Amino acid sequence: METITIKNFLDKNDYTSIEKLEKTPKPFFDSEGVYRGAQTSTQQWIAPKSTFAKSITEKLNAHKHLKNNTIDGIQILQAIKPYDVHSDYIVQDNHVPISDPNTNPPTYTIVIPIIDGDYSTIIFDQLALFNNFMDYKENNPILEKYCSNEDWQKYCSHCHHDDQKYLTIKEVFNWTKGTLFAFNRKSFHCSSNFGNTSKKAIVIWLSK
């Protein structure tokens, strides 16, 4: 499954709707990753049947590779720490599954930045039918050729150091406000390290 990029996916009406939706974001705490126990983001969940979600669905249906999908989850994410390596195979709300991949096979994770800044999403070649990268490391060998030290320090210096030896980079999505980026929900991925700032995006999880 190839990645998809659509420039200027959001319009002025979308940004107005997003501002109105940002009312009660919930804090999210890392339970298993590199920041275990610390808050890493706030998440404003949006009902899949809301007017905004229906509008987004109509736009997705205009693209041949994104049409006829179901929204398993949609949120406004404000990341205050960069997420480390994980997949989105099972959508979770505060670590509680809200989708069943057996009945609704996962397709794409979508990231749509709603701010500009020096941020990136890193997509790795490695895939799994679960979310936790620790489980992947327990069942897979270290690679002979893995992510270079230069790239790891540039993008992934916040991640567990030994993760590097199990991963190769497939693609780097450099954030641009309003641009849609879609990738396989089975793909392990992470945020680039963005230091002491924060970033904000619409995140959508699709299934068939």
Side-chain angles (χ1 to χ4, degrees):
M1 182 183 291
E2 295 302 313
T3 62
I4 298 167
T5 303
I6 305 174
K7 295 181 179 179
N8 301 313
F9 184 80
L10 298 179
D11 57 33
K12 291 182 179 180
N13 291 332
D14 294 324
Y15 291 115
T16 299
S17 297
I18 291 167
E19 289 179 3
K20 293 178 180 178
L21 288 166
E22 292 186 274
K23 294 181 178 180
T24 55
K26 298 193 299 185
F28 176 81
F29 293 85
D30 183 3
S31 66
E32 298 177 325
V34 72
Y35 300 109
R36 182 174 297 189
Q39 183 181 348
T40 54
S41 66
T42 62
Q43 301 174 346
Q44 175 71 63
W45 287 90
I46 301 168
K49 294 184 179 181
S50 66
T51 300
F52 178 74
K54 289 179 180 178
S55 173
I56 293 295
T57 299
E58 289 179 4
K59 290 187 175 187
L60 295 176
N61 284 336
H63 191 286
K64 63 180 181 179
H65 294 300
L66 296 175
K67 66 181 180 180
N68 300 325
N69 278 269
T70 298
I71 292 179
D72 284 344
I74 178 172
Q75 66 174 226
I76 303 168
L77 169 72
Q78 181 165 8
I80 57 179
K81 294 182 184 297
Y83 282 11
D84 62 350
V85 181
H86 65 285
S87 88
D88 295 333
Y89 190 70
I90 300 173
V91 181
Q92 299 179 335
D93 180 355
N94 203 19
H95 309 295
V96 178
I98 60 172
S99 68
D100 184 351
N102 294 313
T103 57
N104 298 97
T107 53
Y108 290 98
T109 292
I110 291 175
V111 177
I112 313 172
I114 53 177
I115 63 168
D116 284 314
D118 186 18
Y119 310 111
S120 302
T121 299
I122 317 304
I123 311 302
F124 299 104
D125 291 302
Q126 287 66 36
L127 310 170
L129 304 183
F130 48 82
N131 291 5
N132 193 336
F133 192 61
M134 290 181 64
D135 295 337
Y136 181 88
K137 290 191 293 184
E138 289 178 358
N139 294 284
N140 288 274
I142 290 174
L143 299 174
E144 291 186 10
K145 294 183 179 180
Y146 48 80
C147 180
S148 70
N149 290 334
E150 180 180 0
D151 283 343
W152 193 258
Q153 288 303 311
K154 180 178 180 180
Y155 298 116
C156 310
S157 58
H158 61 292
C159 298
H160 290 295
H161 180 68
D162 64 332
D163 289 359
Q164 175 186 359
K165 296 182 180 180
Y166 296 84
L167 295 165
T168 50
I169 293 177
K170 175 184 177 71
E171 187 170 347
V172 176
F173 169 57
N174 296 312
W175 281 29
T176 301
K177 183 178 178 180
T179 293
L180 177 149
F181 179 66
F183 57 93
N184 190 342
R185 274 178 52 185
K186 297 177 186 177
S187 297
F188 284 110
H189 58 283
C190 70
S191 164
S192 63
N193 194 352
F194 53 80
N196 296 319
T197 61
S198 65
K199 63 179 185 178
K200 189 180 293 187
I202 300 293
V203 183
I204 306 169
W205 296 276
L206 300 180
S207 67
K208 283 291 188 181

